[in-house]
């Protein structure tokens, strides 16, 4: 029993689950007001869906493909996956009753991604690159929809932008594993296109993200502060060109937090629950000054950027 519990606990993997939970919370805090129970319900359900993905991976990678030493027996994996799936479905059903269909639907989407990741989505170079980023984007949009029952264009644009940036980072991560992936027949972008081709794909993803954010600023979908996010995406492209793959990925992960924070602060303004929460920890005058300084900096970046002519 203790061995099974330890094996199950090993599949929690906070390094993957915490970003999903955190982005769900960020989405909720973008709403004008927040119901704490609904926030927690969606965040827990999103994390539970990722736990299903980890169990599914353990079964497939350990018992079907023989890529790693399994932590649990095949029967235990199947029972645990089935039980966790039922829990996620119950959480989705509770959100349908207490929140709305969009909230519930976002969890169902995450569960489908979890169950399909292995052995299906992780075998195609496109799906293996975008499934986790799509999950992050779904958690962001779902967190907001849980509170409001709506998905305005700026929230959808933010979710898509985050997914696009993370897809580029995922290509870089796959470059680090390309040699091993070739030995097991895993068809990632670096395996299919080689190191140089993967570099071009990653840079393209970052460039598209930066241009899309700048275009959204120009169209009024994003506020001027979002230009900081575009700069972070451009920084990711620059690191892909100038740094070794391992170092580049670490810098890109750090820049992804800058990217998300800039979008969050820009979209939040004074009209979202995140502002109210932050004001409880810091004086409003200080928060306002920081945001004002960032907006001024963003406007200056727009004026100075050679990409502005394309808007």
């Amino acid at each position: 029993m203790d061995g099974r519990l330890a094996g199950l606990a090993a599949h929690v993997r906070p390094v993957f689950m915490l970003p999903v939970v955190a982005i769900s919370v960020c989405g909720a805090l973008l709403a004008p007001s927040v119901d704490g129970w609904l926030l927690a319900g969606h965040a827990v359900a999103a994390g539970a869906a990722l736990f299903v993905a980890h169990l599914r991976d353990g079964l497939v990678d350990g018992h079907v493909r023989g890529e790693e030493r399994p932590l649990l027996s095949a029967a235990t994996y199947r029972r645990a996956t089935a039980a966790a799936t039922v829990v996620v479905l119950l959480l989705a059903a509770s959100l349908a009753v207490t929140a709305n269909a969009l909230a519930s639907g976002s969890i169902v989407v995450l569960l489908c991604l979890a169950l399909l990741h292995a052995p299906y989505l992780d075998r195609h170079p496109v799906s293996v690159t975008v499934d986790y980023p799509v999950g992050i984007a779904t958690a962001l949009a779902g967190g907001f929809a849980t509170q409001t029952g709506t998905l305005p264009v700026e929230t959808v644009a933010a979710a898509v932008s985050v997914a696009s940036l993370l897809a580029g980072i995922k290509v870089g991560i796959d470059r680090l594993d390309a040699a091993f992936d070739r030995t097991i027949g895993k068809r990632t972008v670096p395996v299919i296109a080689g190191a140089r081709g993967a570099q071009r794909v990653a840079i393209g993803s970052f460039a598209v993200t930066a241009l899309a954010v700048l275009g959204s600023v120009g169209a009024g979908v994003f506020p001027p502060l979002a230009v900081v996010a575009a700069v972070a995406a451009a920084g990711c492209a620059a690191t892909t060109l100038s740094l070794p793959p391992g170092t580049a990925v670490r810098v890109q992960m750090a820049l992804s937090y800058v990217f998300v924070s800039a979008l969050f602060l820009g979209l939040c303004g004074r009209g979202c629950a995140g502002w109210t929460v932050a004001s409880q920890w810091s004086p409003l005058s200080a928060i306002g000054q920081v945001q004002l300084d960032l907006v001024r900096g963003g406007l200056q970046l727009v004026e100075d950027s050679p990409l502005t002519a394309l808007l």
Side-chain angles (χ1 to χ4, degrees):
M1 178 63 72
D2 289 342
R4 287 197 294 270
L5 290 176
L8 290 171
H11 289 81
V12 173
R13 296 174 186 171
V15 69
F16 294 106
M17 295 175 71
L18 286 179
V20 173
V21 173
I23 205 72
S24 168
V25 173
C26 283
L29 292 177
L30 283 173
S33 61
V34 165
D35 182 310
W37 286 108
L38 294 181
L39 179 151
H42 187 271
V44 169
L50 195 57
F51 181 61
V52 171
H54 294 164
L55 290 173
R56 182 77 170 164
D57 278 353
L59 172 64
V60 173
D61 292 345
H63 290 282
V64 177
R65 297 171 177 165
E67 297 173 5
E68 59 184 32
R69 183 174 178 271
L71 299 176
L72 300 166
S73 68
T76 301
Y77 269 123
R78 292 190 180 97
R79 287 194 295 267
T81 302
T85 298
V86 170
V87 170
V88 174
L89 290 173
L90 288 175
L91 291 170
S94 71
L95 287 172
V97 173
T98 59
N100 52 72
L102 286 174
S104 178
S106 68
I107 299 303
V108 172
V109 170
L110 291 174
L111 180 60
C112 289
L113 289 172
L115 292 172
L116 293 175
H117 174 74
Y120 306 108
L121 299 179
D122 67 345
R123 283 302 192 187
H124 191 278
V126 174
S127 56
V128 75
T129 301
V130 304
D131 63 346
Y132 185 76
V134 168
I136 290 285
T138 301
L140 171 61
F144 182 89
T146 300
Q147 302 295 325
T148 65
T150 63
L151 278 177
V153 63
E154 61 268 22
T155 302
V156 174
V160 172
S161 298
V162 171
S164 178
L165 183 88
L166 293 181
I169 296 176
K170 181 60 166 60
V171 173
I173 293 172
D174 286 340
R175 284 181 68 188
L176 304 178
D177 298 328
F180 175 74
D181 289 339
R182 286 190 184 94
T183 66
I184 61 174
K186 192 172 183 179
R187 301 174 66 245
T188 62
V189 170
V191 169
I192 298 299
R196 186 62 61 86
Q199 184 183 58
R200 288 194 291 265
V201 171
I203 291 171
S205 180
F206 296 136
V208 167
T209 303
L211 289 172
V213 171
L214 287 176
S216 296
V217 172
V221 175
F222 290 159
L225 179 56
V227 172
V228 176
V231 173
C236 288
T239 61
T240 303
L241 280 171
S242 60
L243 296 177
T247 305
V249 167
R250 287 192 290 272
V251 174
Q252 289 161 7
M253 292 297 290
L255 288 173
S256 72
Y257 288 97
V258 176
F259 183 90
V260 173
S261 297
L263 289 182
F264 178 83
L265 289 172
L267 292 176
C268 187
R270 294 188 181 219
C272 77
W275 181 273
T276 303
V277 172
S279 68
Q280 295 174 356
W281 295 89
S282 177
L284 274 175
S285 58
I287 300 172
Q289 187 60 50
V290 169
Q291 192 175 53
L292 182 60
D293 291 343
L294 287 171
V295 169
R296 287 171 177 166
L299 288 171
Q300 189 62 47
L301 285 169
V302 172
E303 294 175 1
D304 296 342
S305 173
L307 297 174
T308 302
L310 301 176
L311 299 178

